Amino acid sequence: GDSVTQMEGPVTLSEEAFLTINCTYTATGYPSLFWYVQYPGEGLQLLLKATKADDKGSNKGFEATYRKETTSFHLEKGSVQVSDSAVYFCALSDRVGAQKLVFGQGTRLTINP
Amino acid sequence: DAGVTQSPTHLIKTRGQQVTLRCSPKSGHDTVSWYQQALGQGPQFIFQYYEEEERQRGNFPDRFSGHQFPNYSSELNVNALLLGDSALYLCASSRRGSNEKLFFGSGTQLSVL
């Protein structure tokens, strides 16, 4: 079945550092890919998405490019802030509006001032 | 406009008991899904409801059941609780047939002792 694998965490960086969180997937067909963020005590929030190969999703300075040849969707940000500290989840579904998402295990990010 | 609301926020049960969790979808949404998020793991899809019927189900035993009401709100029932059922249970909603993102609630933290 479909699956998502994220880089092991936790990840700790200093403010203004460059961030990469790796994500690879296994799926049949052409899934839609997502990054969700979970702040303490809050629900999951969609950070960005991409629906087809070579699409780049972006939001709040974060970016991820749908790479079908490497089945990857790595999350990047050029300069992280303390407020970016959260748990990040890579996920896929068979379409954008689908209720069934397959999530990776999550990566906890801590940014130190 | 209230988003997805879940109740209760926390719950403690003992093994063998039964539990009911509740979810009210975001205004205008008619489709609800439930996820189980174990500590340190990504959410796992339990099932999806629309038009008061279960439409899709993940790999969960029959101890997990649900219901959707005419006002689109939903309940998740778990019978014969096991220690391994301890997790954060998340509800998500969307409008059927749309390509809008899912909206997640903050979850119900269930502890089984």
Side-chain angles (χ1 to χ4, degrees), chain A residues 60-99:
Chain A
K60 300 180 181 179
F62 290 89
E63 293 183 339
T65 300
Y66 190 144
R67 299 290 189 198
K68 188 165 178 59
E69 63 275 15
T70 54
T71 61
S72 65
F73 193 55
H74 305 321
L75 183 68
E76 296 182 336
K77 186 174 185 181
S79 177
V80 292
Q81 306 300 313
V82 172
S83 58
D84 294 327
S85 298
V87 182
Y88 292 80
F89 294 93
C90 185
L92 66 79
S93 72
D94 59 4
R95 61 178 178 83
V96 174
Q99 286 270 326

Side-chain angles (χ1 to χ4, degrees), chain A residues 3-16:
Chain A
S3 65
V4 175
T5 301
Q6 287 181 235
M7 67 184 289
E8 294 289 332
V11 175
T12 302
L13 297 172
S14 298
E15 205 165 22
E16 299 183 4

Side-chain angles (χ1 to χ4, degrees), chain B residues 50-82:
Chain B
Y50 64 83
E51 294 181 347
E52 303 178 45
E53 290 191 17
E54 183 183 299
R55 300 294 179 171
Q56 198 173 10
R57 189 179 182 92
N59 189 23
F60 280 81
D62 292 346
R63 297 187 298 109
F64 290 77
S65 63
H67 190 77
Q68 186 179 34
F69 299 93
N71 67 353
Y72 308 120
S73 67
S74 177
E75 290 181 348
L76 165 65
N77 300 292
V78 186
N79 293 323
L81 284 167
L82 304 174

Side-chain angles (χ1 to χ4, degrees), chain B:
Chain B
D1 174 28
V4 179
T5 57
Q6 294 186 240
S7 63
T9 55
H10 295 83
L11 203 50
I12 299 174
K13 292 286 188 178
T14 56
R15 280 180 299 174
Q17 285 188 312
Q18 178 265 343
V19 68
T20 297
L21 311 181
R22 295 177 176 82
C23 171
S24 292
K26 180 178 168 59
S27 178
H29 287 182
D30 57 3
T31 301
V32 170
S33 58
W34 287 90
Y35 287 80
Q36 181 195 66
Q37 185 179 5
L39 188 64
Q41 301 296 315
Q44 285 193 289
F45 176 79
I46 302 175
F47 42 51
Q48 170 196 3
Y49 277 83
Y50 64 83
E51 294 181 347
E52 303 178 45
E53 290 191 17
E54 183 183 299
R55 300 294 179 171
Q56 198 173 10
R57 189 179 182 92
N59 189 23
F60 280 81
D62 292 346
R63 297 187 298 109
F64 290 77
S65 63
H67 190 77
Q68 186 179 34
F69 299 93
N71 67 353
Y72 308 120
S73 67
S74 177
E75 290 181 348
L76 165 65
N77 300 292
V78 186
N79 293 323
L81 284 167
L82 304 174
L83 296 179
D85 295 331
S86 296
L88 179 68
Y89 288 85
L90 298 169
C91 175
S93 74
S94 68
R95 189 161 48 91
R96 183 187 168 201
S98 79
N99 281 330
E100 297 173 356
K101 64 182 181 181
L102 293 187
F103 284 80
F104 281 84
S106 300
T108 294
Q109 184 65 55
L110 172 65
S111 298
V112 182
L113 306 179

